[in-house]
Amino acid sequence: MRPLHSTITRGVLHQQARLALGGILDWRPLHDSVSVSQLLDLLLLMASTGASLFATVQRFFGFSHETASRAVKANLPTQEELTRGLVGALYDVASLSRQAPRRR
């Protein structure tokens, strides 16, 4: 039996996760300091590595952890908004998995 080849890479996963996360809330940049793209990357890196905000910012970004903290706090949703957005994102991911071809 021939081994299966997958075209799923880290970049593809990151892009899909960023699209899903970006679509659940109304993200806003923090002035010119932290763009929405950087904020999403920060949150995804923290979630995937389990590292603290301080450690993630120091390693991957050119702004301070205090600036990053302000950007995250400025984008915190209410619990209702967060629940609605996360449930919507889970449904989106579930619909993608149903569209994927079935393997034997």
Side-chain angles (χ1 to χ4, degrees):
M1 181 174 206
R2 208 169 90 177
L4 295 174
H5 175 72
S6 176
T7 58
I8 298 174
T9 64
R10 290 180 196 170
V12 170
L13 288 175
H14 181 81
Q15 181 183 15
Q16 291 299 317
R18 185 196 274 183
L19 287 172
L21 184 60
I24 65 170
L25 296 173
D26 184 26
W27 300 97
R28 299 173 309 278
L30 182 69
H31 311 296
D32 290 334
S33 304
V34 181
S35 69
V36 171
S37 178
Q38 289 173 316
L39 180 61
L40 294 176
D41 287 343
L42 170 66
L43 295 173
L44 289 170
L45 282 167
M46 287 174 55
S48 65
T49 62
S52 67
L53 182 128
F54 179 82
T56 304
V57 168
Q58 263 196 326
R59 183 167 180 196
F60 296 104
F61 298 95
F63 44 82
S64 73
H65 70 281
E66 292 171 355
T67 301
S69 179
R70 283 196 305 264
V72 170
K73 286 179 185 175
N75 282 282
L76 286 178
T78 65
Q79 185 172 356
E80 183 179 313
E81 290 171 324
L82 183 60
T83 302
R84 191 177 336 112
L86 289 174
V87 167
L90 288 173
Y91 277 117
D92 290 345
V93 170
S95 71
L96 286 176
S97 65
R98 277 189 238 120
Q99 294 171 1
R102 298 269 182 213
R103 290 187 185 175
R104 290 188 265 171

